Amino acid sequence: MELTATDLGQLAASLRPAMRPQTLVWSRSPRCRRPDLLTTHPGGGPSRQGEQEYRELSRANMTERFDCHYCKESLFGKKYVLREDNPYCIKCYESLYSNTCEECKKPIGCNCRDLSYKDRHWHETCFHCFQCKRSLADKPFSTKDEQLLCTECYSNEYSSKCHACKKIIMPGSKKMEHKGNSWHETCFTCQRCQQPIGTKSFIPKDSHNFCVPCYEKQFAMQCVHCKKPITTGGVTYHDQPWHKDCFLCTGCKLQLAGQRFTSRDDFAYCLTCYCNLYAKKCASCTTPISGMGGSKYISFEERQWHNDCFNCKKCSVSLVGRGFLTERDDILCPECGKDM
């Protein structure tokens, strides 16, 4: 696991010494001050400097007690620790509340520095790299499988190597990744202009990466119509590249990409425009005959009919593939033509 700057800041806040013991105050109020213990003359009595404290101690012994909250032994003249306003002797406090070191499995006493990380605790001397054994106190580190590692050991063992410069990408530093490869942020550059790509769009080609402007200049085809590079959505017509938005009907200017179209004099037309402009009209229904998609039509003496429209004027029988007679602009089957 790689630590970010925020992780390290939180860690520094958690590297704190354990609660320090206090020495009992020699007055009626046990927590108001913290003098030295009494000293005595060789004869056994208190010195003049300690006479006042001695008299106060005597009065305190007569009026009140100050005992360990757990074992009830007197705390006068001893060091103690307050927890939730309750005093504990050092022995009781450490047996009840001290954390256990992850390394040596021994309690972390009041006089030791307790280093904690993610609810785990160590003695300061036990907080070291799993591989090189160097101390990690007040230094950045990483973890792998719950083992502590200095940044150097972690990098040598687990960190990615830059695809460009082949050097290790140190934990906590920015890296760019694409298709299983990693780069330093400063090494992830455009092959053509050599500028860092960063978080901008890029196009990979032949194991190299290009920023979009450089790729368009070097590789992209140019639209026949607008002369600008085609990066996506191009179409080919007469072996020439077009943007989809540029490939339009010459007549109505609608997009032709994905639509059926035809051409005349190298200009593209949608079917509607082509039929209206150039297709012959059916002599029967007067609508254009497109001839698209293999549709058949009948032609006779410069007149044309849709197959479905080539019928006898009188009895409406289809004359496709049959003999017929003409009467002015009309066509008749042989039976109806007898009366002519």
Side-chain angles (χ1 to χ4, degrees), residues 120-137:
R120 302 166 67 200
H121 298 263
W122 291 264
H123 291 103
E124 183 174 8
T125 55
C126 295
F127 194 69
H128 53 70
C129 174
F130 177 77
Q131 290 191 1
C132 69
K133 307 304 180 183
R134 287 183 293 184
S135 174
L136 297 176

Side-chain angles (χ1 to χ4, degrees), residues 257-273:
Q259 306 294 327
R260 294 179 64 192
F261 68 94
T262 187
S263 64
R264 184 181 177 92
D265 300 329
D266 291 332
F267 293 103
Y269 294 88
C270 67
L271 297 184
T272 301
C273 288

Side-chain angles (χ1 to χ4, degrees), residues 18 90-100 107-110 114:
I90 302 302
K91 181 179 179 181
C92 289
Y93 180 85
E94 291 185 346
S95 64
L96 292 172
Y97 302 113
S98 290
N99 296 308
T100 301
I108 303 174
C110 294
D114 184 336

Side-chain angles (χ1 to χ4, degrees), residues 20-56:
R20 296 297 185 184
Q22 306 177 53
T23 304
L24 180 63
V25 175
W26 294 90
S27 70
R28 291 183 181 275
S29 178
R31 288 176 290 156
C32 67
R33 60 191 180 93
R34 193 176 170 187
D36 295 330
L37 297 178
L38 290 176
T39 58
T40 59
H41 289 297
S47 66
R48 289 186 176 181
Q49 295 177 351
E51 287 178 357
Q52 183 63 32
E53 286 86 348
Y54 183 79
R55 286 195 295 272
E56 291 178 359

Side-chain angles (χ1 to χ4, degrees), residues 290-306:
S290 66
M292 298 296 176
S295 61
K296 297 179 180 180
Y297 64 95
I298 308 300
S299 179
F300 176 71
E301 293 182 353
E302 298 184 356
R303 291 189 295 170
Q304 289 79 32
W305 293 263
H306 295 107

Side-chain angles (χ1 to χ4, degrees), residues 159-297:
S159 289
S160 305
K161 290 187 178 180
C162 178
H163 187 69
C165 69
K166 309 305 179 184
K167 294 181 180 178
I168 291 174
I169 302 175
M170 296 299 291
S173 60
K174 288 186 177 181
K175 68 177 179 179
M176 315 301 292
E177 294 183 334
H178 177 64
K179 290 187 176 180
N181 294 322
S182 302
W183 291 263
H184 293 107
E185 186 178 23
T186 55
C187 293
F188 191 62
T189 59
C190 170
Q191 178 69 17
R192 187 171 185 269
C193 68
Q194 297 301 310
Q195 294 300 310
I197 295 174
T199 57
K200 296 182 293 185
S201 298
F202 68 96
I203 301 174
K205 182 177 176 62
D206 299 333
S207 74
H208 298 298
N209 299 311
F210 296 85
C211 63
V212 174
C214 286
Y215 181 87
E216 291 178 349
K217 291 176 183 178
Q218 187 162 342
F219 300 108
M221 295 183 291
Q222 288 188 338
C223 175
V224 173
H225 178 73
C226 68
K227 309 304 180 185
K228 294 181 179 179
I230 301 173
T231 55
T232 58
V235 297
T236 300
Y237 175 63
H238 284 181
D239 296 327
Q240 293 179 320
W242 301 67
H243 288 115
K244 286 199 304 183
D245 296 339
C246 294
F247 190 57
L248 308 176
C249 172
T250 306
C252 65
K253 306 303 181 185
L254 293 177
Q255 282 192 26
L256 296 178
Q259 306 294 327
R260 294 179 64 192
F261 68 94
T262 187
S263 64
R264 184 181 177 92
D265 300 329
D266 291 332
F267 293 103
Y269 294 88
C270 67
L271 297 184
T272 301
C273 288
Y274 180 84
C275 289
N276 291 335
L277 292 171
Y278 303 109
K280 299 181 182 296
K281 304 296 189 295
C282 177
S284 176
C285 67
T286 70
T287 58
I289 302 174
S290 66
M292 298 296 176
S295 61
K296 297 179 180 180
Y297 64 95

Side-chain angles (χ1 to χ4, degrees), residues 137-173:
D138 302 317
K139 295 179 181 179
F141 65 93
S142 299
T143 61
K144 184 70 174 180
D145 300 328
E146 296 191 353
Q147 294 175 348
L148 303 175
L149 296 168
C150 65
T151 54
E152 183 176 349
C153 289
Y154 182 90
S155 299
N156 292 334
E157 190 73 21
Y158 302 109
S159 289
S160 305
K161 290 187 178 180
C162 178
H163 187 69
C165 69
K166 309 305 179 184
K167 294 181 180 178
I168 291 174
I169 302 175
M170 296 299 291
S173 60

